[in-house]
Amino acid sequence: MKKRIFALLFIISSFCCWTNAQRSYGGFPLHESSASSLRSLTNDEWVEMPPFDLSMVQKDSSQLKIGGLQFAHAFKTQLTPQNCGESKILNDGSKLWRVKIRSTEALSINLIFDKFHLEGDSKLFIYSPDYSTILGAYTKENNRLDSILATTPIGGDEVIVEYIEEDGATGEISIGQVNHGFRDFRAFPSFGLAAECNADVSCQDVPDGSRRCVALMIVNGTNMCSGSLINNTQEDGTPYFLTAAHCFSLTSDTLSASYLASTCLYFFNYETPYCLPNVQGSLEMSLSGSTVRAILSTNDMILMKLDEKPPVEYNTYYAGWNISPSIEGTVYTVHHPRGDVKKFARSLSAPIPTTFNNSDINLTTNVHWIVSGWEKGVTEGGSSGSPLFDSDNRIIGALTGGYEPSGCDLKSRDAFYRINTAWKGRNENRSLYSWLDPTQSGRTTLDGLEPYQYSCERLSNYQKGDKLFYSEEHLDENFIAGSNELEIYEFAEKFDSDGGLLLGCYLIAEEATYHAEDTIWMKIYDGDLFPEKLLHKQRVRITSTQYDANDFSEKEFIQLSSRDNYLNFTTPVEVDSTFFVAIEIPQKMKKRFGILAAEATSSNVNTAYFKSEDSWKQLSESPIAQRNFSLFLNPLMQTQKKTSIYDTYSDEHRVQIYPNPTSGEVQIICDEQPSKIELFSMRGEILNVVYPQSKISTLQMDQLPCGIYVVRVVFESHSERVKIIKQ
């Protein structure tokens, strides 16, 4: 029976289109008149990649042999403002560099900057010629010590790079690699290329934390795998990420893995929302760059540390672990087969310790679990590195590969390396113990971690059973919440909550055809029965786009399916019990736009509104609707819910902190020994955890910026929180 590493499967699909990239800082490229000048550039100013042939993938011996599901071919380049493109001085003294890159017949293009160092307010954007996809702005916040920046693929065979350098700044930009996408792993209108027997996590009873710790990973802009955030005994939110070593190199030497780790992109929360099979998940929540902490290629284990903690709005979770040598009961995995939205697979029985042999990599004997069959779901190419969870939702291993047959054969046997066999090695660079048990506790199990004191919640009035409403089936050219002939330009969705901070908003567009002259605004209103006081207003960057078929030769599709989009607010918005999220469209749109709506058949309560002649009305009163509806405008709220242990802000003498304010070290003095002391930012991010050995403990704050922090001291019966001022 043929053995395989899942990463080596190849797939063929149709056109893919990406949303905006990893951690970027918003904004737009220069105004359209500046961008339009690119259309008149001569061919000499375009950068053309060499002709691509699929045989190059197998024959090019100069390329590092990386594992993972390959979807692109890397062209090595050295593109800088000094040797290509168009440069000019703008009116404010800043310098503009634009270069247009083409790789003929590429299904997608992504870039690796081998030199990326920005200063001041300099910005870099990468976008498609029609502005349908915009990545950036990338700023000095994206600088890495090794000066590498990897970017998300953009659909099509052309991209534009635009660098605006602040007057007086001396940044450095060099594009060292252009990746030509030859296989798409995200197709429209179905977008799902994973086998039909895969199960969406949003449609299954999957533990919430196990969903939120898993991410899709792209290595070197050419290959993809899965992996997961994992907790450590310090429980300080260090963003360790566990995956498979062969995802980086089939030889898995430390040098090549270290370089490839710096090129990685991590996509969190890429899953179908609300179990809606025709809605593609959001790709906005992503990060770039990581560092290898431990690698044991003979076990297929690699542990990395992300360059930054996923921010609070990503709502991530750090999974616990179990290093027991035997496991009882069924197990399950969460993964991204073929780079598709997040899926789930549950075993038929307990895993069995065994040996997994593969001709591509040299593996040690008896270091894997074998899952002998699946009750639900399967794994495929791109699933490599995905975590294997025990019945207590702790990680016990990660996926290496499996045995043919594949596809929808639920009896296919899959091999996950056992983390207990990679726990202690000759040194810290070859074992998990040093990193996942830094307190040297000797524990064999650890629960997962919520890295922020206050959780995030996606709010929605949609209920299972509500019927999605597609305008073209009922209303010809009029959208129920979008472009129309009735001079209605603003629509809103009402929410009742306990209040909190709005960090951003998801929106699902029934159709959104981008045009650079169409400015769409998102607004937050306070109010009771109707929107009243404007709290926030922000321009929307549309990422759900419908293209005309003639724009892309030899790519057949009629209409882009709906897509989940996330807009991060420029500043958190504080709201009380009742508030409204609104969309305002231009009075004369160049292209069509409409928010997806659902008929409220379950609740029979209208939560959608429209503005007509300066007054707000329920959408059920609209001549377009005339029924109760909800709109897919779903704000992300950071709540301040109490934990299971009662918390109080305390001025009592049970907890004393000295000095406060402080410039560095603080002493925490209690009248009894606490079980744990946690340090948080005011946004709720956990910064440090101490397990006291007496009534007096020390916290080091000298490396933290000035500001206000919260110390949470946990006792047996309750906990207390005290604010600290760092000067």
Side-chain angles (χ1 to χ4, degrees), residues 30-198:
L30 287 182
H31 54 78
E32 289 71 29
S33 60
S34 296
S36 63
S37 66
L38 282 173
R39 300 190 182 96
S40 63
L41 292 178
T42 66
N43 287 334
D44 291 338
E45 291 172 306
W46 292 4
V47 176
E48 298 269 359
M49 294 299 103
F52 171 78
D53 185 88
L54 189 58
S55 62
M56 297 169 61
V57 176
Q58 288 80 24
K59 293 180 180 179
D60 190 351
S61 59
S62 66
Q63 300 217 10
L64 182 64
K65 192 176 182 183
I66 307 170
L69 183 61
Q70 187 173 4
F71 68 94
H73 174 77
F75 288 114
K76 300 297 182 181
T77 61
Q78 197 68 39
L79 308 179
T80 71
Q82 289 72 42
N83 62 25
C84 65
E86 174 190 53
S87 298
K88 64 174 64 173
I89 304 296
L90 302 179
N91 293 335
D92 63 357
S94 58
K95 291 178 286 187
L96 167 69
W97 176 56
R98 277 206 205 96
V99 61
K100 186 172 185 178
I101 300 171
R102 178 187 293 128
S103 190
T104 302
E105 296 186 355
L107 301 181
S108 65
I109 292 178
N110 69 83
L111 309 176
I112 304 288
F113 290 81
D114 57 356
K115 293 180 182 178
F116 180 91
H117 180 81
L118 270 55
E119 296 182 350
D121 291 329
S122 301
K123 299 178 181 178
L124 180 108
F125 294 93
I126 306 168
Y127 52 95
S128 55
D130 64 356
Y131 277 70
S132 61
T133 304
I134 302 173
L135 310 182
Y138 301 113
T139 70
K140 63 182 180 183
E141 300 298 326
N142 299 98
N143 291 347
R144 285 174 46 93
L145 291 177
D146 59 12
S147 298
I148 293 174
L149 176 71
T151 69
T152 289
I154 291 179
D157 60 2
E158 294 181 347
V159 297
I160 298 172
V161 177
E162 179 174 298
Y163 173 46
I164 305 168
E165 186 174 76
E166 183 186 27
D167 186 20
T170 56
E172 190 172 20
I173 294 289
S174 173
I175 303 171
Q177 190 168 303
V178 176
N179 296 320
H180 175 113
F182 58 86
R183 290 185 177 92
D184 287 320
F185 49 90
R186 202 158 293 106
F188 297 110
S190 65
F191 77 78
L193 290 179
E196 293 181 0
C197 53
N198 277 285

Side-chain angles (χ1 to χ4, degrees), residues 195-239:
E196 293 181 0
C197 53
N198 277 285
D200 284 334
V201 293
S202 58
C203 304
Q204 307 298 318
D205 184 19
V206 181
D208 185 56
S210 302
R211 290 173 55 174
R212 294 187 286 122
C213 70
V214 173
L216 169 65
M217 178 179 70
I218 293 183
V219 184
N220 198 42
T222 59
N223 297 56
M224 73 186 77
C225 279
S226 303
S228 58
L229 292 167
I230 188 167
N231 194 16
N232 73 88
T233 55
Q234 188 68 32
E235 297 199 273
D236 56 359
T238 301

Side-chain angles (χ1 to χ4, degrees), residues 363-659:
L363 295 171
T364 301
T365 59
N366 198 32
V367 296
H368 281 77
W369 302 107
I370 286 293
V371 174
S372 299
W374 300 102
E375 174 196 357
K376 182 185 292 292
V378 292
T379 61
E380 301 184 74
S383 301
S384 285
S386 59
L388 186 66
F389 295 96
D390 65 12
S391 57
D392 292 317
N393 310 313
R394 297 168 177 150
I395 293 177
I396 61 172
L399 181 63
T400 294
Y403 298 84
E404 297 286 3
S406 59
C408 277
D409 189 330
L410 301 183
K411 296 180 181 179
S412 178
R413 301 170 65 211
D414 292 338
F416 296 76
Y417 69 79
R418 296 153 52 194
I419 63 171
N420 69 300
T421 64
W423 192 248
K424 287 191 176 181
R426 292 196 301 271
N427 55 59
E428 65 178 15
N429 297 325
R430 294 173 60 83
S431 63
L432 294 171
Y433 171 76
S434 300
W435 309 101
L436 300 188
D437 190 12
T439 64
Q440 299 182 17
S441 68
R443 301 180 62 164
T444 59
T445 63
L446 181 69
D447 289 333
L449 172 73
E450 294 285 357
Y452 292 92
Q453 184 179 20
Y454 300 119
S455 62
C456 290
E457 180 181 3
R458 177 173 177 167
L459 305 182
S460 176
N461 294 311
Y462 171 77
Q463 298 183 28
K464 186 177 181 180
D466 289 353
K467 183 179 180 181
L468 299 186
F469 187 90
Y470 290 98
S471 301
E472 288 193 348
E473 297 177 4
H474 305 274
L475 307 168
D476 298 325
E477 296 299 318
N478 290 320
F479 285 97
I480 196 169
S483 307
N484 63 86
E485 300 173 347
L486 304 177
E487 298 185 353
I488 300 174
Y489 307 117
E490 193 166 355
F491 306 86
E493 181 74 0
K494 179 182 178 181
F495 293 92
D496 294 313
S497 71
D498 295 330
L501 290 177
L502 301 184
L503 305 180
C505 187
Y506 289 89
L507 62 148
I508 301 177
E510 178 183 346
E511 181 179 325
T513 307
Y514 185 86
H515 193 280
E517 297 180 15
D518 289 339
T519 299
I520 296 175
W521 297 96
M522 177 170 288
K523 300 179 179 180
I524 306 297
Y525 287 97
D526 194 2
D528 186 10
L529 298 177
F530 298 98
E532 295 176 6
K533 180 182 178 182
L534 181 64
L535 302 177
H536 182 75
K537 180 179 179 180
Q538 183 172 332
R539 185 178 176 185
V540 176
R541 249 178 30 180
I542 305 169
T543 55
S544 284
T545 309
Q546 179 181 353
Y547 299 92
D548 297 327
N550 293 332
D551 289 349
F552 300 96
S553 60
E554 298 180 359
K555 300 177 180 66
E556 298 180 1
F557 54 92
I558 301 174
Q559 180 175 341
L560 181 69
S561 65
S562 301
R563 195 186 319 170
D564 204 16
N565 298 277
Y566 179 73
L567 177 69
N568 190 51
F569 290 163
T570 52
T571 181
V573 182
E574 186 174 1
V575 294
D576 293 324
S577 56
T578 301
F579 65 93
F580 297 79
V581 179
I583 283 287
E584 180 184 358
I585 63 175
Q587 294 187 9
K588 293 183 179 180
M589 291 197 71
K590 299 290 185 180
K591 297 287 186 178
R592 288 157 53 83
F593 175 86
I595 295 293
L596 184 64
E599 188 176 348
T601 54
S602 301
S603 65
N604 200 31
V605 174
N606 180 80
T607 55
Y609 295 77
F610 72 99
K611 189 176 184 180
S612 177
E613 298 179 354
D614 296 326
S615 65
W616 286 94
K617 299 178 181 179
Q618 293 193 26
L619 193 60
S620 55
E621 301 176 44
S622 166
I624 299 178
Q626 299 179 344
R627 277 167 284 177
N628 293 327
F629 282 93
S630 65
L631 303 179
F632 281 93
L633 295 171
N634 306 145
L636 185 68
M637 174 181 284
Q638 186 181 26
T639 61
Q640 295 194 1
K641 296 179 179 179
K642 299 297 183 183
T643 62
S644 58
I645 299 178
Y646 179 66
D647 281 350
T648 60
Y649 276 103
S650 176
D651 293 323
E652 299 177 12
H653 295 296
R654 296 200 63 183
V655 176
Q656 299 181 55
I657 294 182
Y658 178 83

Side-chain angles (χ1 to χ4, degrees), residues 706-726:
C706 297
I708 300 176
Y709 297 86
V710 175
V711 168
R712 180 172 180 256
V713 184
V714 181
F715 298 98
E716 183 177 355
S717 60
H718 79 293
S719 65
E720 298 179 10
R721 293 184 291 166
V722 183
K723 291 181 180 178
I724 297 180
I725 299 174
K726 168 68 187 305

